[in-house]
Amino acid sequence: MSNEYEETRRSFLTKLGLTLGASLVAGEKLSAKVLNDKAEFPLEADQQKLMDRYEDWMDEFIPVIKTFRADPNDKEAGRRIAELSEEAEGWREQLNVFMKDDNFARYYMIATERMTKEIY
């Protein structure tokens, strides 16, 4: 089950062009305590700004992906997924730089865990 979960998550992140994030999923197992407490990983102001943007993006993305999963023929949901994926591609370079910082990488994975739990 865990392998299937990690594979699905890696696939999702890869589709968004976040290959560095996807490789971190495979290489790093976070404890339950870490997954539940982002406050343990303070961020720089520019990192926090990106994470705030990412979490707002997730708030839009999660319902759209749920709609699409319920009805893969929903053209509006498919169009919106493409738009949101393109938006995420816009921060990929900055994300790849920030992912080199362990605190940011952990914070990012914790935030992404919320989306993964809601979608899968």
Side-chain angles (χ1 to χ4, degrees):
M1 170 90 177
S2 180
N3 250 354
E4 180 180 328
Y5 172 79
E6 292 296 330
E7 191 63 36
T8 303
R9 190 164 161 185
R10 254 194 318 276
S11 174
F12 171 73
L13 291 170
T14 300
K15 284 180 184 174
L16 288 179
L18 307 176
T19 54
L20 180 57
S23 67
L24 280 173
V25 171
E28 181 173 59
K29 301 290 182 190
L30 300 177
S31 71
K33 181 179 179 188
V34 169
L35 289 173
N36 292 322
D37 193 1
K38 293 186 292 192
E40 290 183 32
F41 307 105
L43 302 177
E44 300 294 327
D46 54 345
Q47 293 173 330
Q48 186 62 58
K49 185 176 176 180
L50 177 64
M51 286 308 304
D52 290 345
R53 189 169 158 197
Y54 177 60
E55 292 191 47
D56 288 344
W57 178 89
M58 283 192 299
D59 290 342
E60 289 185 58
F61 187 77
I62 290 168
V64 173
I65 198 73
K66 283 181 175 180
T67 298
F68 187 76
R69 287 183 64 147
D71 179 8
N73 295 315
D74 186 323
K75 291 184 188 325
E76 178 59 25
R79 183 190 63 76
R80 191 67 183 127
I81 288 169
E83 289 174 353
L84 288 166
S85 296
E86 188 174 315
E87 181 182 333
E89 180 65 25
W91 355 295
R92 184 172 55 119
E93 188 174 314
Q94 186 179 29
L95 178 64
N96 286 339
V97 170
F98 288 163
M99 290 297 276
K100 294 174 185 172
D101 177 294
D102 287 343
N103 272 347
F104 180 87
R106 287 184 180 102
Y107 190 106
Y108 173 82
M109 295 310 298
I110 291 164
T112 301
E113 183 73 15
R114 172 178 72 94
M115 180 170 54
T116 303
K117 284 179 181 178
E118 289 193 42
I119 292 173
Y120 299 103

